Amino acid sequence: DKMKKRTKRLKANKGSTYISVTIFVMIMMIVFVFIMSVAPVFLTKMTLNNYANELAREAEIAGRIGTETTHRLDRLNESSGLTPTVTWSTSGRIQIGRSFTLTVSADVDISFFIFQGHTLTISSTAEGTSEVYWKS
């Protein structure tokens, strides 16, 4: 008698299991697509941090904003495929002990389903101090 009741209950719930699994799979796919659309933002941020740190170090060693930093930026652009905007707080020669800052920024597309064509500007800032003494 109890066995018949259990069998009836299992047969009655049989279709709802398929619906639950289908809904679960759909939700997981939406979450996966969202993660895949947001991941480039984090990757770009990490790349821009690297740009800023390497360019700052190049300027510290060279003691100026010039050909050395431009060549480093070109190599970074080739290796990453990005072409960010770089803004320096100064230009030319930087005397030993003088600090400078730079900001590297790029636009990233954050399209997701109905949110098409939205861009987000990501930036990274680095500071440095010149290591070169320039005679007057």
Side-chain angles (χ1 to χ4, degrees):
D1 189 40
K2 288 184 182 181
M3 191 65 159
K4 287 181 183 179
K5 286 182 182 179
R6 288 183 192 169
T7 306
K8 278 186 181 181
R9 207 175 315 152
L10 285 175
K11 285 182 181 179
N13 292 334
K14 194 174 183 181
S16 67
T17 305
Y18 291 120
I19 293 171
S20 299
V21 169
T22 303
I23 291 172
F24 176 75
V25 168
M26 288 173 53
I27 290 171
M28 291 307 295
M29 292 301 293
I30 290 171
V31 168
F32 178 73
V33 169
F34 178 74
I35 289 171
M36 293 304 291
S37 66
V38 172
V41 173
F42 293 105
L43 293 174
T44 302
K45 178 62 176 167
M46 290 185 332
T47 303
L48 292 180
N49 286 343
N50 186 45
Y51 264 69
N53 291 332
E54 287 198 32
L55 288 173
R57 185 63 187 141
E58 189 70 37
E60 287 175 339
I61 294 168
R64 66 180 180 167
I65 312 303
T67 56
E68 297 87 357
T69 54
T70 303
H71 290 309
R72 177 58 71 97
L73 179 60
D74 291 340
R75 287 195 308 268
L76 289 169
N77 288 345
E78 284 177 19
S79 65
S80 72
L82 286 176
T83 52
T85 303
V86 180
T87 308
W88 296 89
S89 64
T90 187
S91 61
R93 293 180 174 181
I94 306 169
Q95 191 58 266
I96 191 169
R98 289 283 180 119
S99 296
F100 61 89
T101 60
L102 72 127
T103 303
V104 184
S105 60
D107 293 331
V108 178
D109 182 28
I110 56 168
S111 297
F112 178 71
F113 288 125
I114 61 171
F115 305 109
Q116 297 296 320
H118 287 78
T119 58
L120 177 67
T121 301
I122 299 174
S123 63
S124 183
T125 303
E127 295 182 7
T129 304
S130 176
E131 298 177 1
V132 176
Y133 174 73
W134 294 99
K135 293 182 183 178
S136 300

